Amino acid sequence: MSDILVLYYSRSGHTAQLARLIARGVEEVPGMRARLRQVPPVAPVTELAQPPEPEEGAPYVTKQDLHDCVGLALGSPTRFGNMAAPLKYFLDSTGAEWASGALVGKPAAVFTATSTMHGGQESTLISMALPLLHHGMLLLGIPYTEPALSHTTSGGTPYGASHVTGTKGDNAISEHERELARALGKRLAEAARKLAANG
């Protein structure tokens, strides 16, 4: 089995839900397995270390996860049209992986959740894509051959999977959002499998 790393930060659980749907899509591809991981939160006061394992959700990511994976799906809620600070903090710590080329040539995809339709989904997805391009990854989006992309009235963009949570965070993930998240995971896994076969 080859692992696709599905790495995310999630505060209210919406991005984590998308991560699980993407993982489901990954595992629709024979020989591919999703490795769900999250980044720990950051705080202004750093004297107190985070526990080695989170109280809930996926385990915390390690740098070895980046080396082990054959592809990466990266997710974050939006923070003023940008990725959340914990994910940026983790990416900023991957200089050694950049220097060694640990991620070069591996396929990648991005996903996000926002409270409103125009709350910065596409700019957040692009903010996550930029460091992946610097790492030499091969960025994948969602093509319009996916029917749900033309019919969604909530989340889902050609840049990556997304979910509109509502201002109170009570919107369930729509069927179109679900389809697009699974489709992105499946596309990422298929691309990784093809690259490995030709490598």
Side-chain angles (χ1 to χ4, degrees), residues 53-141:
E53 292 299 326
E55 292 180 11
E56 59 183 3
Y60 288 138
V61 68
T62 68
K63 301 294 177 54
Q64 191 60 45
D65 291 318
L66 297 176
H67 290 272
D68 292 345
C69 74
V70 296
L72 170 66
L74 191 65
S76 172
T78 189
R79 294 292 184 266
F80 301 107
N82 207 329
M83 75 179 93
L87 187 59
K88 178 72 163 63
Y89 182 81
F90 174 76
L91 290 172
D92 285 349
S93 75
T94 60
E97 287 68 32
W98 169 80
S100 69
L103 294 172
V104 170
K106 296 179 181 181
V110 290
F111 59 101
T112 191
T114 61
S115 61
T116 63
M117 281 288 286
H118 305 290
Q121 285 193 359
E122 292 178 347
S123 61
T124 300
L125 294 170
I126 291 169
S127 78
M128 289 184 285
L130 295 176
L132 302 183
L133 291 170
H134 278 265
H135 272 284
M137 300 196 82
L138 307 173
L139 209 59
L140 301 173

Side-chain angles (χ1 to χ4, degrees), residues 14-77:
H14 298 286
T15 308
Q17 288 178 52
L18 277 178
R20 289 190 292 274
L21 288 165
I22 288 168
R24 192 175 302 167
V26 165
E27 295 189 345
E28 290 176 19
V29 178
M32 305 304 286
R33 177 176 55 199
R35 184 185 296 195
L36 278 166
R37 296 289 185 267
Q38 63 178 313
V39 296
V42 294
V45 178
T46 56
E47 287 86 16
L48 297 175
Q50 290 294 323
E53 292 299 326
E55 292 180 11
E56 59 183 3
Y60 288 138
V61 68
T62 68
K63 301 294 177 54
Q64 191 60 45
D65 291 318
L66 297 176
H67 290 272
D68 292 345
C69 74
V70 296
L72 170 66
L74 191 65
S76 172

